[in-house]
Amino acid sequence: MIKNKSLVSINDISKEDMLRILELAADFEANPDQPLLRGKIIASLFFEPSTRTRLSFETAMNRLGARVIGFSDPGVTSATKGETLKDTIKMVSNYADLIVMRHYLEGAARYAAEQSPVPVINAGDGANQHPTQTLLDMYSINKTQGGLDNLKIALVGDLKYGRTVHSLIQAMSYFNPTFYFVAPDELKMPQEYKTFLDEKGITYEEHRDMADVLPTADILYMTRVQKERFSDLMEYERVKNTYVLHNDMLSVTKDNLRILHPLPRVGEISTDVDQNPKAYFFEQAKNGMYTRMAIIAAILGAKE
């Protein structure tokens, strides 16, 4: 199991670890108030803005009975004085039993884990990895589809910079999915992830038109085009509204289809979709609390 280990990448844990975390998440959903971590202190370090990830992590910590320290604005920390990430992590690890960190630089979480004597959970590092989002996505998929095997999963939008989709294809590769990648040329899935799927023998198709995949998909995973990842704002303006899902487009979809989105959405899912029973993105966000309770409890050995 992952006791006393950092979670930086979804590749840090085995298929068995993933399934155990999903099992624990279901236990926490059935009974969310389990103060198993009384006396523990967890640091929440958010060097990049966040709503759902930070609040669901901190709610998870509180429901588990831990005390929370940290910051959500690096502007109020010694980083503004030039303190290095190494020194920040070394200092905070003196005070906490576990560190949860989001950072804007790819690789920052791995570096932090190498410097820290206490476990580090990556809450997102640049366009790289977001393993806890992946686990809550898997929990949502498992819950809505009754299993994880042999599903048809359409990933739509920003597949170049979207760290959630990069982690998800790696995790779901254990379960024989078929992937449909829907993106404009500027935001296509990077070659390294397609090579990964080729080596695993996982089937995938690339499409430009979302309508091509709607009748087939079990999961429709929409993503936001991430303005903050673009160095050229003109390129962002060209692609930002390429895909917009409207309620009337869902008439051709399967009954079991569920629409996921890591949120925040900008304009890629119309609000007229919200009342459709196939919309699952707000429930997905709620599942994040249970899944993060499971991850924290597993790492700190509170649930053997």
Side-chain angles (χ1 to χ4, degrees):
M1 197 51 182
I2 61 172
K3 183 178 178 181
N4 298 324
K5 294 180 181 176
S6 291
L7 176 57
V8 172
S9 163
I10 200 65
N11 298 318
D12 290 342
I13 58 176
S14 66
K15 177 183 178 181
E16 290 70 29
D17 289 336
M18 293 177 198
L19 293 174
R20 176 60 178 151
I21 287 168
L22 301 193
E23 185 182 320
L24 288 177
D27 178 74
F28 283 120
E29 181 172 7
N31 180 15
D33 292 307
Q34 298 189 41
L36 304 168
L37 295 179
R38 280 207 183 99
K40 296 290 187 183
I41 296 175
I42 302 176
S44 172
L45 310 184
F46 277 72
F47 291 88
E48 188 179 53
S50 171
T51 302
R52 273 149 303 278
T53 301
R54 183 175 66 84
L55 293 181
S56 68
F57 257 120
E58 293 184 8
T59 304
M61 297 167 191
N62 279 291
R63 285 194 179 276
L64 287 166
R67 296 181 184 178
V68 183
I69 63 171
F71 55 82
S72 58
D73 177 5
V76 301
T77 73
S78 291
T80 60
K81 303 174 185 176
E83 183 172 65
T84 64
L85 179 60
K86 176 181 178 179
D87 286 2
T88 299
I89 294 298
K90 289 283 192 187
M91 182 270 298
V92 172
S93 66
N94 289 328
Y95 307 144
D97 300 290
L98 174 71
I99 295 171
V100 175
M101 187 182 86
R102 169 169 284 192
H103 204 281
Y104 49 87
L105 289 178
E106 293 183 31
R110 179 69 66 196
Y111 179 75
E114 290 168 353
Q115 304 303 321
S116 175
V118 302
V120 172
I121 296 176
N122 180 10
D125 62 331
N128 186 27
Q129 285 266 343
H130 198 352
T132 67
Q133 177 73 45
T134 300
L135 288 161
L136 78 87
D137 291 344
M138 293 175 73
Y139 185 68
S140 299
I141 292 168
N142 187 57
K143 195 171 160 185
T144 61
Q145 303 300 316
L148 293 168
D149 293 307
N150 306 312
L151 296 173
K152 299 183 186 302
I153 302 174
L155 306 174
V156 180
D158 185 354
L159 308 188
K160 180 179 181 180
Y161 299 111
R163 58 192 170 198
T164 61
V165 296
H166 299 163
S167 297
L168 186 62
I169 64 170
Q170 292 173 312
M172 289 301 297
S173 68
Y174 289 108
F175 302 97
N176 192 40
T178 301
F179 287 113
Y180 303 93
F181 299 150
V182 184
D185 289 341
E186 296 91 337
L187 297 174
K188 289 173 70 171
M189 182 65 71
Q191 184 58 47
E192 64 188 283
Y193 295 104
K194 293 186 280 188
T195 300
F196 168 84
L197 294 174
D198 289 336
E199 291 171 351
K200 294 276 188 178
I202 302 296
T203 301
Y204 64 88
E205 298 176 5
E206 295 189 273
H207 295 267
R208 289 287 302 276
D209 191 342
M210 180 164 56
D212 293 345
V213 306
L214 288 177
T216 309
D218 300 306
I219 293 292
L220 181 64
Y221 196 103
M222 301 293 294
T223 66
R224 170 178 69 95
V225 177
Q226 299 179 70
K227 184 177 182 179
E228 64 271 27
R229 309 287 178 217
F230 283 78
S231 55
D232 181 350
L233 285 182
M234 288 184 67
E235 183 183 3
Y236 167 76
E237 291 295 331
R238 271 199 311 275
V239 299
K240 67 177 182 178
N241 293 321
T242 306
Y243 303 109
V244 180
L245 183 67
H246 294 281
N247 190 54
D248 58 9
M249 299 166 66
L250 297 174
S251 61
V252 300
T253 60
K254 291 154 62 170
D255 289 344
N256 67 299
L257 175 82
R258 291 298 179 269
I259 303 156
L260 303 185
H261 191 305
L263 301 176
R265 65 174 164 182
V266 180
E268 58 281 350
I269 300 178
S270 171
T271 54
D272 67 4
V273 173
D274 294 0
Q275 302 308 313
N276 193 304
K278 296 176 182 179
Y280 196 73
F281 30 90
F282 292 122
E283 293 90 338
Q284 174 190 4
K286 186 176 182 180
N287 290 338
M289 180 179 67
Y290 309 126
T291 309
R292 288 171 173 130
M293 288 178 75
I295 294 164
I296 292 167
I299 289 175
L300 290 179
K303 278 277 194 181
E304 297 295 348

